[in-house]
């Protein structure tokens, strides 16, 4: 793998992933993982910490690629880019130019690289469900975003939302209040220990959303035999369908060719307990929707964007915080 290459980067809560591949999408890329997640501080995402991990990883991949290998375009996708990415937008383009000689750079929110990985550069919408939940769609003119506001302000229907609702139902059963689920209470105690110990375990944690989301699979496992758990998933499906309806380009009925929607993220590995009610909600709230398989993940999406910069041109709409190209956006 020599000659002109493109660089794709995916920075998320589990770490930093890096891919280096040919401009031709038909050939595989080389990848590596930096296990330490990029830090976030008072000034947002720490650009220095990202570069300290990224540049050595890229140099290793370039060394493996052989003589003459050079990066011609790069795309960096990062969780929190839209609201915490000021440092990255200020520092990364110049740093990548100085260190790697790359002049064509795109900086994107992870929802955008997730979109590009799932649907490429065609119109549609992507619902990304994990600990949180966000829907993002485009008609290739503008972006349409719904939710993704974090577990305190939104992420309705996501893993932390489902887990919190399940734990609430368990605590209601513990107290004898309405809406409780003895089945979920039993699962709470099996996973976390005595119910009365849960507040002391949960509230001091800085990773509360992840801890809440860890209970979502328990809700899914209980749903076939527990009406309270099933009701939580039906409500989650309603929230997800609502976000998809907002993100899907064009009002209902206005696109006779339909709207492609891809579902991505670990939340949907819950399977039929969630997907069944979600199909019903999509059919009702987004009748023009056509659910399609995701082509790839956010790292594939970063490579897709970099290849577009290097070759035929970027068709996804630029945006100051969602998809930033220095000198163009």
């Amino acid at each position: 793998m020599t000659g002109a290459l493109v660089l794709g980067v995916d920075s998320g809560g589990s770490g930093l992933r890096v891919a280096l591949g040919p401009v031709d999408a038909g050939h595989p890329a080389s990848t590596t993982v930096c296990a330490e997640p990029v830090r976030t501080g008072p000034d947002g995402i720490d650009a220095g910490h990202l570069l300290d991990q990224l540049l050595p990883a890229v140099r290793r991949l370039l060394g493996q690629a052989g003589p003459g290998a050079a990066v011609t375009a790069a795309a960096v996708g990062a969780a929190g880019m839209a609201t915490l990415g000021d440092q990255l937008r200020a520092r990364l383009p110049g740093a990548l130019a100085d260190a790697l000689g790359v002049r064509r750079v795109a900086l994107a929110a992870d929802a955008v690289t997730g979109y590009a990985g799932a649907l490429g550069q065609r119109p549609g919408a992507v619902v990304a469900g994990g600990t949180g939940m966000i829907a993002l769609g485009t008609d290739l003119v503008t972006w349409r975003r719904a939710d993704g506001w974090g577990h305190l302000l939104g992420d309705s229907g996501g893993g932390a939302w489902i887990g919190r609702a399940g734990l609430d139902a368990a605590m209601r059963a513990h107290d004898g209040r309405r809406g409780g689920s003895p089945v979920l209470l039993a699962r709470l105690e099996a996973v976390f220990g005595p119910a009365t110990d849960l507040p002391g375990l949960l509230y001091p944690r800085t990773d509360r959303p992840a801890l809440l989301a860890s209970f979502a699979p328990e809700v899914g496992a209980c749903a076939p035999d527990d009406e309270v758990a099933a009701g939580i998933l039906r409500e989650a499906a309603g929230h997800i369908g609502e976000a998809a309806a907002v993100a899907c380009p064009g009002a209902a009925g206005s696109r006779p060719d339909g709207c492609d929607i891809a579902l991505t993220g670990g939340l949907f590995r819950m399977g039929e307990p969630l997907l069944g009610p979600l199909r019903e909600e999509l059919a009702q709230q987004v009748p023009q929707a056509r659910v399609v398989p995701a082509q790839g993940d956010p790292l594939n999406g970063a490579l897709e964007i970099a290849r577009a910069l290097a070759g035929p041109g970027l068709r996804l709409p630029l945006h100051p915080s969602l998809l930033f190209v220095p000198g163009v956006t």
Side-chain angles (χ1 to χ4, degrees):
M1 185 173 65
T2 58
L5 303 173
V6 293
L7 171 65
V9 181
D10 175 44
S11 175
S14 59
L16 187 69
R17 299 190 300 154
V18 183
L20 195 66
V23 173
D24 179 3
H27 293 81
S30 299
T31 63
T32 189
V33 177
C34 308
E36 186 179 357
V38 176
R39 291 190 295 261
T40 299
D43 296 325
I45 302 169
D46 189 332
H49 189 225
L50 187 150
L51 288 165
D52 287 344
Q53 297 187 76
L54 173 61
L55 293 178
V58 175
R59 292 187 180 109
R60 286 194 299 271
L61 292 176
L62 284 170
Q64 295 167 13
V71 179
T72 187
V76 178
M81 178 74 79
T83 53
L84 301 171
D86 286 349
Q87 266 198 52
L88 300 188
R89 286 185 284 271
R91 291 189 54 189
L92 253 61
L96 293 176
D98 292 342
L100 303 173
V102 58
R103 303 292 175 183
R104 285 172 282 187
V105 176
L107 305 178
D110 60 339
V112 171
T113 51
Y115 183 101
L119 292 180
Q121 294 201 86
R122 68 182 196 265
V126 171
V127 179
T131 297
M133 204 288 299
I134 186 171
L136 190 70
T138 183
D139 55 4
L140 302 186
V141 177
T142 59
W143 291 104
R144 299 168 65 94
R145 169 183 172 163
D147 214 337
W149 303 120
H151 76 293
L152 293 179
L153 298 177
D155 284 354
S156 300
W161 186 96
I162 292 171
R164 194 214 63 82
L167 292 170
D168 175 85
M171 299 305 290
R172 287 176 176 273
H174 175 271
D175 294 347
R177 291 178 286 145
R178 288 181 299 176
S181 166
V183 174
L184 289 173
L185 175 59
R187 294 312 306 153
L188 181 160
E189 292 174 336
V191 173
F192 298 115
T196 52
D197 291 349
L198 184 60
L201 173 66
L202 177 65
Y203 291 134
R205 298 276 289 259
T206 57
D207 62 342
R208 284 187 296 274
L211 188 66
L212 292 171
S214 72
F215 197 67
E218 302 293 338
V219 179
C222 292
D225 303 308
D226 182 68
E227 181 54 35
V228 173
I232 290 170
L233 296 188
R234 285 195 297 271
E235 188 175 353
H239 288 306
I240 296 169
E242 183 178 45
V246 170
C248 202
S254 68
R255 289 178 58 84
D257 57 338
C259 170
D260 287 347
I261 295 181
L263 307 177
T264 68
L267 180 69
F268 301 110
R269 289 198 290 268
M270 192 178 296
E272 196 61 22
L274 177 62
L275 294 178
L278 180 55
R279 283 194 295 270
E280 295 176 5
E281 288 291 341
L282 290 174
Q284 179 180 350
Q285 297 196 46
V286 204
Q288 77 274 31
R290 183 172 50 241
V291 179
V292 300
Q295 298 172 356
D297 67 7
L299 186 58
N300 299 123
L303 283 171
E304 173 84 10
I305 292 171
R307 285 179 172 128
L309 287 177
L314 192 58
R315 290 187 288 124
L316 294 175
L318 301 181
H319 185 279
S321 59
L322 292 175
L323 182 54
F324 174 73
V325 176
V328 179
T329 306

